[in-house]
Amino acid sequence: MVGLLTWAEPQKGQRSLRLEERQILRMRFLQAEVVKSPHGAVLRRRVLAAGKKLRKRGVTQVVTPEAFDCEELLKKCGLRPVGTLALRRSIAADWVRTGLAAKGQPVAGARVAVTAAALTGETVRTVTELCLRHRYVLLDLPYGGEELCRQLRREYGVSLLLGPSKEQLEGAEALVLFDPRVDLSLKNPVALRLYDEGQALPSLALPPSLEEALPESANRGQLLAVLREAGILKREQIVVGC
């Protein structure tokens, strides 16, 4: 079971920590509700106590609150925040589109560069979606790009530029990185580091009937990531904003 750490406003006679099971869109979570405190040391003790209780119940990953800065305390308890890498890669093409629009860049005519250490299924899907939306797509791979290029031309009549130079990568309006590249400045108008969970996600929304079931204080990216991983949400139900 996945943990869910939430904040509660202090009330008279309220316990500082409450543990209970709850369902979100038919998925079960073990929720640890921690009462807020203006004293940092007190709040940290409560978070630590919550982490120990969650781990004792078999929880290993947790959806944290937004702007949560106590990850190290959870790690001490053997817990980790829910990962968002798979979600980030699944929305990459939509993220590029909204990012370009937010920067006032042309969308259909933009140059979009993709760099990756290997040709994975996620890379193929992203490059395919980008080629169908943008006129110029550049792909930098150590190997495997030729077959993808032939496939895209055969199935969709689109083409991409293989083996772009460093100057071409840095000159693209959007740069999508599946793996770190220390040789690039990342000063493109839009630069998505799909390997970096520290990069802020765009706004993510669900249809209204699903949106109302989500707790407001939970980390949106983590919650949608775990619901998608469990098969509760489909990729097309997640709407990417700016």
Side-chain angles (χ1 to χ4, degrees), residues 28-99:
R28 292 168 57 238
F29 291 82
L30 183 59
Q31 178 178 354
E33 187 180 66
V34 176
V35 174
K36 290 182 178 180
S37 171
H39 306 290
V42 173
L43 185 61
R44 290 174 65 85
R45 284 199 299 270
R46 291 175 180 175
V47 170
L48 187 60
K52 290 178 178 178
K53 287 183 178 293
L54 288 170
R55 188 67 190 93
K56 189 175 182 180
R57 293 280 295 272
V59 171
T60 57
Q61 57 177 340
V62 181
V63 174
T64 65
E66 292 282 9
F68 185 70
D69 61 358
C70 297
E71 286 89 350
E72 290 302 319
L73 295 178
L74 297 183
K75 289 180 181 179
K76 289 181 179 180
C77 303
L79 303 173
R80 68 181 189 280
V82 168
T84 62
L85 291 184
L87 174 66
R88 291 168 183 272
R89 292 169 180 173
S90 73
I91 66 170
D94 287 345
W95 196 351
V96 166
R97 173 179 52 79
T98 58

Side-chain angles (χ1 to χ4, degrees), residues 212-228:
E212 63 186 14
L214 303 183
E216 293 183 0
S217 63
N219 182 295
R220 173 58 61 101
Q222 293 177 8
L223 184 57
L224 297 191
V226 77
L227 289 170
R228 181 177 175 274

